[in-house]
Amino acid sequence: MKKINALGKPCPIPVIEAKKAIRELNNAGGTIEITVDNEVSVKNIEKMAVGLGLKTISQKYKNDELTVEITVPKHLDQLNSASSDNELVIAFGRKTMGDGDADLGAMLLKSYIYSLTELDTPPEHLLFFNSGAFLTNQGSNTLKDLQVLLEKGTQISTCGACLDFYEIKETIAIGEITTMYGITEVMAQAKKVINF
Amino acid sequence: MDFLSQCTSGGCGAKIGPNELAGFLKNLPKSSDEKLLVAFDTSDDAAIYQVSEELALISTVDFFSPMVEDPRTFGRIAAANAMSDVYAMGGQVLFALNLVCFPEKMDKQKLSEMLIGGAEKLEEANASLAGGHSIYDHEPKYGLAVTGQVDPQKIIHNNTPKIGDVLIITKALGVGMIQSAVRGGLACKESEAAAIASMERLNKYAAEKMRDFPVHACTDVTGFGLLVHALEMAGDNVTLIIDTEQLPLLPQAYYYAEEFLATAAGQRNRQYIGSKVDLNTVSPAFQEILFDPQTSGGLLISVAAEKALECLKAIQKNDPVAAIIGEVYKKESNRPIILV
């Protein structure tokens, strides 16, 4: 067991020390006992540990001597990053399909999104950015089909910066708002990405 | 003609990158004058020259191109930033000289506004404007050469933290990120106003408070971002543990970081850090914040642990966003900084 004496240390130093110890035990696993002198520190350490999915036991010895024991399993890293691969992600960077007549392009895209609802396995995630953001907005003629996909378990996300840019954030009609970081992560974890 | 500089990045983001700079400085002769207590060879913030047993002069200079549209606001920010080094070293500002570059064709009213802004901040610092120098240039630039004083026994260096110290930062981070969002037309009014208020803020108040506490090291966080300034502070002898979750952030700064609205200077800082710091446990957005250049940023203070909370509370009276962000450890396996 690794013992840390954080008596007399102001918040958030005890949390920082506990995190550092967890980091050091990352691969080997083990337990950490951290001693602090106030309830608030105990609560903060517990919050942090629970956030990382770790078990804690707290004890009070005296009024100004409390301990938190944190159990760190082996290979904590892998535990946290065990995210599943997404099957199919489709990224809509425009509101039309293909080059050419805009009305035709819009019709094709509506038809494409309808076809997605007919697939045996619906796509994992649909991403909408740049003018694609209009597709998830009020007045979009694809909303009904997107709703069907949503009910089948497809995630629908629209770029927040794009909604801001086109000043249509207030009228988003379906799905959630995401960031470039979110878009990057979804694309990076996908098995297959189709781009429009 | 637009006041806000479009061709180069304004503010501390316009600084020449730390690794490029280190290369050039190596070739310069080192001073042998014993009275020069602090020179450029320690990456310290300003020069200190001892005049007598009780008195040393602090001399520093800073200038950059505009990062805001309003000339008067720009003047205030430039002056607050230029004086910051004196405060970081534990000194008081005595007087300053203006440095001005201004386009021949630009409305001179803007020049006047800019200088009034600078003078306002000097007045707030109880310092005198003693003159200056101006030239024509294709892009406006403004700053000041600042002279301050300090007791030679009470100089605070930027690279002398002691093991066990607690790290305090006095201003919220994300100024560069917000300015970048402003340029992209994406920033909300609230975050823009908060960034400007932060940049205009004098480090004087925090510096006055820290004088009463056992502060072992201090630097002002500017163009090199928190991480590179922290690296300078760690030097060769200690390891700084910093918890990114404790960093005080300006409104929306984290959101803009998630949108990768980072500056070129931020990327230069990242390249400088290279593999010296392990960023694996830090989300991409927090990484951007760690590298974000801070125009007229706050003080990073290393203070004895037993007085840290008291010191923080004293600083928070005037600068409520100040926060404890980490601790100083004995050097760990050649790692100057560990992020948890």
Side-chain angles (χ1 to χ4, degrees):
Chain A
M1 174 171 340
K2 184 177 170 63
K3 293 196 177 192
I4 299 166
N5 180 354
L7 292 170
K9 298 215 170 160
C11 258
I13 294 295
V15 175
I16 292 172
E17 298 204 340
K19 276 183 157 182
K20 174 176 175 280
I22 291 168
R23 189 191 161 101
E24 282 162 5
L25 284 179
N26 227 341
N27 282 318
T31 54
I32 298 157
E33 186 192 87
I34 180 156
T35 310
V36 295
D37 56 18
N38 64 83
E39 251 344 301
V40 176
S41 292
V42 172
K43 289 281 169 269
N44 283 344
I45 294 168
E46 285 175 349
K47 246 189 293 178
M48 178 272 296
V50 168
L52 290 173
L54 302 174
K55 290 203 175 75
T56 64
I57 306 165
S58 307
Q59 272 180 328
K60 188 171 181 173
Y61 290 104
K62 297 178 216 153
N63 248 348
D64 52 359
E65 202 175 319
L66 306 94
T67 66
V68 187
E69 196 182 302
I70 306 169
T71 310
V72 184
K74 280 186 187 178
H75 306 297
L76 178 67
D77 266 352
Q78 294 167 14
L79 207 78
N80 289 333
S81 57
S83 53
S84 64
D85 280 338
N86 289 345
E87 292 292 329
L88 171 62
V89 170
I90 306 173
F92 297 89
R94 46 199 293 184
K95 54 183 174 181
T96 59
M97 189 173 182
D99 266 333
D101 184 78
D103 290 340
L104 173 65
M107 234 161 66
L108 292 176
L109 197 65
K110 175 179 160 46
S111 166
Y112 175 79
I113 291 174
Y114 167 73
S115 307
L116 292 177
T117 66
E118 300 283 292
L119 290 179
D120 288 339
T121 315
E124 185 85 26
H125 211 138
L126 305 183
L127 300 168
F128 296 89
F129 49 88
N130 213 325
S131 66
F134 286 99
L135 295 168
T136 55
N137 219 262
Q138 276 175 24
S140 158
N141 59 10
T142 64
L143 286 178
K144 214 172 74 194
D145 298 327
L146 290 176
Q147 185 61 38
V148 173
L149 286 166
L150 198 67
E151 281 158 18
K152 286 188 169 185
T154 300
Q155 282 191 70
I156 294 172
S157 307
T158 308
C159 162
C162 308
L163 291 167
D164 280 341
F165 182 86
Y166 291 115
E167 295 176 0
I168 52 173
K169 202 171 205 162
E170 305 307 319
T171 51
I172 183 166
I174 193 161
E176 47 156 38
I177 296 173
T178 188
T179 62
M180 189 50 80
Y181 174 49
I183 291 173
T184 312
E185 231 183 13
V186 169
M187 283 189 170
Q189 284 169 4
K191 275 202 179 142
K192 189 156 108 188
V193 179
I194 295 173
N195 265 296
F196 279 95
Chain B
M1 200 171 186
D2 222 7
F3 184 67
L4 186 62
S5 292
Q6 299 295 341
C7 34
T8 59
S9 49
C12 284
K15 265 176 131 169
I16 296 176
N19 44 351
E20 295 168 78
L21 207 54
F24 303 137
L25 295 181
K26 254 200 323 245
N27 300 328
L28 292 179
K30 291 209 165 77
S31 163
S32 54
D33 188 341
E34 282 171 10
K35 289 185 185 134
L36 196 54
L37 304 181
V38 175
F40 61 85
D41 47 327
T42 58
S43 314
D44 241 306
D45 301 312
I48 300 191
Y49 194 86
Q50 183 154 8
V51 179
S52 70
E53 284 209 351
E54 301 82 37
L55 178 67
L57 290 178
I58 305 178
S59 180
T60 179
V61 59
D62 242 319
F63 67 105
F64 41 50
S65 36
M67 75 306 291
V68 290
E69 189 50 58
D70 177 47
R72 192 153 167 172
T73 306
F74 170 56
R76 285 197 289 257
I77 293 169
N81 179 68
M83 287 186 275
S84 190
D85 288 337
V86 174
Y87 296 127
M89 301 189 100
Q92 288 160 286
V93 178
L94 296 172
F95 62 90
L97 305 167
N98 278 332
L99 291 167
V100 180
C101 303
F102 205 77
E104 208 169 346
K105 287 179 184 156
M106 197 181 262
D107 178 9
K108 297 294 185 298
Q109 180 62 30
K110 287 184 177 171
L111 173 61
S112 162
E113 287 282 312
M114 191 170 83
L115 297 179
I116 288 170
E120 274 174 11
K121 279 289 154 181
L122 280 177
E123 198 182 348
E124 185 184 335
N126 292 320
S128 313
L129 179 64
H133 181 57
S134 54
I135 59 167
Y136 282 127
D137 193 357
H138 62 273
E139 191 181 80
K141 296 176 193 80
Y142 175 54
L144 303 103
V146 180
T147 301
Q149 68 170 15
V150 66
D151 177 340
Q153 306 305 316
K154 293 181 181 161
I155 297 170
I156 303 173
H157 294 268
N158 67 351
N159 59 354
T160 49
K162 286 200 177 142
I163 292 162
D165 279 1
V166 162
L167 300 171
I168 293 174
I169 194 164
T170 65
K171 285 189 190 178
L173 298 167
V175 161
M177 214 78 70
I178 290 173
Q179 290 308 307
S180 155
V182 170
R183 282 170 185 239
L186 289 168
C188 70
K189 286 274 161 266
E190 185 209 359
S191 60
E192 188 180 355
I196 286 174
S198 177
M199 289 188 285
E200 286 182 346
R201 177 100 189 124
L202 286 184
N203 281 324
K204 171 186 183 219
Y205 306 100
E208 281 169 357
K209 296 291 165 31
M210 94 180 162
R211 250 174 240 153
D212 301 333
F213 297 93
V215 169
H216 298 131
C218 179
T219 187
D220 57 332
V221 177
T222 58
F224 297 159
L226 175 65
L227 214 45
V228 178
H229 285 290
L231 196 68
E232 283 179 354
M233 178 175 274
D236 298 325
N237 304 316
V238 300
T239 290
L240 306 186
I241 311 272
I242 295 174
D243 186 356
T244 49
E245 282 171 32
Q246 307 297 338
L247 302 178
L249 303 181
L250 287 164
Q252 298 285 307
Y254 191 81
Y255 170 67
Y256 299 142
E258 281 190 309
E259 295 290 354
F260 296 127
L261 292 170
T263 55
Q267 183 53 34
R268 285 197 289 272
N269 291 335
R270 186 187 283 271
Q271 277 156 356
Y272 174 73
I273 286 279
S275 57
K276 285 183 203 132
V277 178
D278 175 9
L279 294 163
N280 280 330
T281 56
V282 183
S283 73
F286 264 126
Q287 290 181 22
E288 295 301 340
I289 284 165
L290 290 168
F291 291 121
D292 186 41
Q294 302 300 297
T295 298
S296 187
L299 300 177
L300 177 64
I301 301 169
S302 182
V303 60
E306 64 274 13
K307 292 283 180 188
L309 203 54
E310 220 179 303
C311 180
L312 177 72
K313 292 221 164 109
I315 290 169
Q316 278 176 335
K317 269 184 204 147
N318 287 315
D319 297 273
V321 301
I324 292 176
I325 61 162
E327 196 176 5
V328 181
Y329 277 76
K330 70 171 197 298
K331 179 90 173 182
E332 290 193 18
S333 57
N334 243 359
R335 300 275 290 285
I337 294 178
I338 293 177
L339 299 163
V340 295

